[in-house]
């Protein structure tokens, strides 16, 4: 996206916006959040429903294996919240939601999000992440019909589109060239390009953010942290891919939701912002810390679950290192992560142990069968 396109400033002239083109805060606005029943989406919906009683928040979600309305029990009866079950690839349905709820702003999170699944079945990633995003963009374009004032299409992307770094201390910036390796990151990269193309071609006000690995409550237990907490709890193996040398930058999910809120309202239209924790961890070091914290909170002696750590065949095309430079966001909008990683991890482990029923409800269903197919053991 170019910095120069001024016609896409989405502020509505009421003086409430950040003065930079972000989504103007005023009563009666209708915000569509896609994928709001998933991990990050449910944390974001909770934040918006509670913080903006003057908005109507429409959560549009297909409820795939990763979508769970139990994540939103505490806000489902709020008067400013609406849930619509639907597929972002269904143009007619998406357009009818835009029209019925007079949608002014979109925060688009719905996606297939797990790299291992994308290696097994890339087609569903192309369908949902690429075609689904294009369908949403096309519906927004048709509904908004060139009246861009007060509108915003905010697309949530990932740092994985930038590819893989070496151990040389380099960080991904907003200017790093896209070099996706997995079918997941390739599909997200493609969707990012479509969002920018709709800005550059039609003038649609849009923002893209690329965030690092999130952790925290309500994450589906196929991802490293919740999967391992649950396996420790049940004394099951902890499958570390390869030698556990890969590095990820971890951010607490509520800090990501805070960043989205800030950027949606105060960010500059047509911009990209990186969001990260400045918090790099080698997988094996993170796993050892996780084992220590979980054992302690379970009342096990120190070292009790170390024996569960099992090195398994590496993920195909496994990216070595992701690390985000989020200084643009810090310098422009003053955002920094609020939580130190050790405190965040402790809080997260505690949440999963306190919400074992939530976990058991998920793992007793289709996911159990998927896990067996993936790993051939339980
Ligand atoms: P998730 O897998 O937990 O949730 C995805 C949600 O999208 C689910 O509720 C699912 O039902 C819904 N969904 C899937 N296909 C759909 C479709 N066709 N139509 C409507 N809804 C559909 O994902 P997450 O971890 O919360 O990630 C949310 C977004 O953030 C994704 O776009 C992901 O690429 C991005 N992201 C995630 C992370 C991370 O660490 N989890 C990091 C950076 C960016
Ligand atoms: P994951 O949570 O799947 O996120 P991503 O692939 O988007 O980074 O994985 C985080 C890291 O942990 C990644 O390097 C892969 C590794 N990993 C394992 O070693 N074992 C596992 O069982 C899983 C799910 C991930």
């Amino acid at each position: 996206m170019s910095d120069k396109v001024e016609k896409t400033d989405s502020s509505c002239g009421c003086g409430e916006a950040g003065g930079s083109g972000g989504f103007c805060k005023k009563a009666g606005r209708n915000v569509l959040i896609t994928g709001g029943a998933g991990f990050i989406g449910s944390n974001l919906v909770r934040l918006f429903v509670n913080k903006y009683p003057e908005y109507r928040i429409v959560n549009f979600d297909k409820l795939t294996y990763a979508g769970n309305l139990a994540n939103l029990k505490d806000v489902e009866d709020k008067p400013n919240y609406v849930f619509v079950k639907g597929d972002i690839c269904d143009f007619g349905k998406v357009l009818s939601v835009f029209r019925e709820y007079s949608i002014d702003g979109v925060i688009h999170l719905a996606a297939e999000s797990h790299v291992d699944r994308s290696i097994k079945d890339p087609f569903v990633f192309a369908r949902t992440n690429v075609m689904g995003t294009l369908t949403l963009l096309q519906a927004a374009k048709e509904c908004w019909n060139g009246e861009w004032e007060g509108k915003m299409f905010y697309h949530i992307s990932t740092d994985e589109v930038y590819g893989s770094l070496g151990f040389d201390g380099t960080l991904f910036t907003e200017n790093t060239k896209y070099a996706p390796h997995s079918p997941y990151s390739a599909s997200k990269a493609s969707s990012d390009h479509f969002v920018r193309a709709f800005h550059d071609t039609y003038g649609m006000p849009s923002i893209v953010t690329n965030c690092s690995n999130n952790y925290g409550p309500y994450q589906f237990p196929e991802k490293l942290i919740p999967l391992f907490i649950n396996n420790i709890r049940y004394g099951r193996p902890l499958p570390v891919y390869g030698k556990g040398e890969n590095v990820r930058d971890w951010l607490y999910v509520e800090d990501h939701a805070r960043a989205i809120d800030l950027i949606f309202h105060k960010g500059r239209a047509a911009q990209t912002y990186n969001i990260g924790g400045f918090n790099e961890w080698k997988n094996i070091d993170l796993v050892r810390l996780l084992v220590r914290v979980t054992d302690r909170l379970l009342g096990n002696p120190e070292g009790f679950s170390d024996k569960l750590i099992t090195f398994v065949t590496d993920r195909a095309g496994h990216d070595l290192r992701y690390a985000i430079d989020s200084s643009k966001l810090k310098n422009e909008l003053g955002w920094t992560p609020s939580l130190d990683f050790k405190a965040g991890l402790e809080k997260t482990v505690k949440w999963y142990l306190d919400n074992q029923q939530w976990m058991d409800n998920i793992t007793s269903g289709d996911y159990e069968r998927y896990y067996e197919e993936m790993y051939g053991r339980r």
Side-chain angles (χ1 to χ4, degrees):
M1 276 188 235
S2 118
D3 278 9
K4 289 177 250 132
V5 187
E6 266 150 46
K7 64 187 173 181
T8 59
D9 186 325
S10 69
S11 62
C12 70
C14 76
E16 285 294 313
S20 53
F23 188 79
C24 184
K25 282 184 197 171
K26 60 176 187 177
R29 313 225 72 196
N30 297 298
V31 178
L32 179 70
I33 298 184
T34 70
F39 165 48
I40 302 171
S42 60
N43 281 284
L44 184 71
V45 165
R46 175 173 299 100
L47 174 70
F48 267 58
V49 168
N50 288 324
K51 186 168 173 188
Y52 299 110
E54 71 276 27
Y55 290 179
R56 177 163 54 192
I57 307 300
V58 181
N59 172 12
F60 186 84
D61 197 300
K62 186 181 174 183
L63 300 182
T64 67
Y65 78 95
N68 185 357
L69 288 178
N71 297 357
L72 289 164
K73 272 252 155 293
D74 53 328
V75 295
E76 67 186 10
D77 293 328
K78 299 264 180 168
N80 63 335
Y81 172 70
V82 179
F83 172 70
V84 179
K85 184 170 189 293
D87 186 336
I88 53 167
C89 299
D90 179 346
F91 182 76
K93 177 93 182 183
V94 173
L95 189 61
S96 76
V97 167
F98 265 84
R99 294 210 162 121
E100 182 178 351
Y101 295 104
S102 307
I103 297 300
D104 314 294
V106 177
I107 309 181
H108 173 37
L109 297 100
E112 288 292 336
S113 68
H114 190 43
V115 174
D116 293 330
R117 285 181 189 255
S118 81
I119 294 166
K120 285 219 138 189
D121 181 9
F123 278 100
V124 69
F125 284 70
R127 180 184 180 277
T128 297
N129 299 359
V130 185
M131 292 306 292
T133 302
L134 180 54
T135 303
L136 273 175
L137 286 163
Q138 191 65 16
K141 175 172 164 280
E142 195 159 318
C143 185
W144 293 343
N145 196 24
E147 288 168 25
W148 303 130
E149 206 173 271
K151 308 294 194 306
M152 174 54 74
F153 192 105
Y154 180 166
H155 177 60
I156 305 296
S157 191
T158 166
D159 59 356
E160 305 192 24
V161 297
Y162 296 125
S164 184
L165 296 166
F167 290 129
D168 57 0
T170 322
L171 305 174
F172 296 134
T173 73
E174 289 79 1
N175 297 320
T176 302
K177 257 178 80 173
Y178 274 31
H181 295 133
S182 73
Y184 164 65
S185 53
S187 68
K188 291 297 290 186
S190 173
S191 64
D192 296 6
H193 292 319
F194 271 108
V195 175
R196 294 184 177 115
F198 267 62
H199 166 267
D200 293 349
T201 308
Y202 308 113
M204 183 181 288
S206 57
I207 290 179
V208 176
T209 55
N210 298 86
C211 188
S212 61
N213 284 57
N214 285 216
Y215 71 100
Y218 302 106
Q219 187 167 31
F220 193 83
E222 63 187 349
K223 305 278 168 64
L224 181 77
I225 290 180
L227 174 70
F228 278 28
I229 294 170
N230 198 43
N231 283 9
I232 294 166
R233 162 120 194 174
Y234 285 112
R236 295 171 185 153
L238 308 175
V240 176
Y241 299 161
K243 294 181 183 150
E245 282 180 335
N246 308 67
V247 171
R248 298 292 181 263
D249 170 15
W250 294 92
L251 178 68
Y252 192 66
V253 65
E254 288 177 6
D255 276 334
H256 187 191
R258 252 189 338 103
I260 294 171
D261 176 20
L262 187 65
I263 295 166
F264 184 59
H265 290 103
K266 306 247 185 213
R268 287 185 288 144
Q271 290 288 312
T272 298
Y273 295 89
N274 280 353
I275 309 172
F278 285 110
N279 176 43
E280 292 182 46
W281 281 80
K282 200 181 264 197
N283 287 344
I284 188 62
D285 296 338
L286 188 157
V287 168
R288 291 197 199 288
L289 175 64
L290 188 61
V291 168
R292 214 166 48 242
V293 171
T294 309
D295 269 342
R296 178 164 47 74
L297 291 175
L298 283 171
N300 293 332
E302 194 171 332
F304 181 77
S305 299
D306 287 351
K307 58 183 181 295
L308 301 177
I309 297 175
T310 312
F311 293 94
V312 301
T313 310
D314 207 353
R315 172 186 279 173
H318 197 173
D319 286 333
L320 185 62
R321 175 172 164 259
Y322 302 142
I324 276 276
D325 178 353
S326 50
S327 49
K328 174 176 172 179
L329 177 57
K330 182 175 176 213
N331 296 338
E332 269 191 29
L333 300 177
W335 177 91
T336 50
S338 72
L339 215 55
D340 152 76
F341 184 61
K342 288 190 179 159
L345 196 67
E346 173 116 6
K347 195 169 162 177
T348 301
V349 174
K350 202 168 173 331
W351 187 87
Y352 284 100
L353 297 181
D354 289 347
N355 289 276
Q356 192 59 42
Q357 194 59 51
W358 177 91
M359 181 70 91
D360 288 344
N361 288 346
I362 291 173
T363 51
S364 59
D366 283 350
Y367 177 64
E368 191 83 358
R369 284 186 284 283
Y370 163 79
Y371 192 98
E372 273 163 18
E373 220 178 87
M374 279 301 278
Y375 303 106
R377 63 173 179 282
R378 203 68 181 123

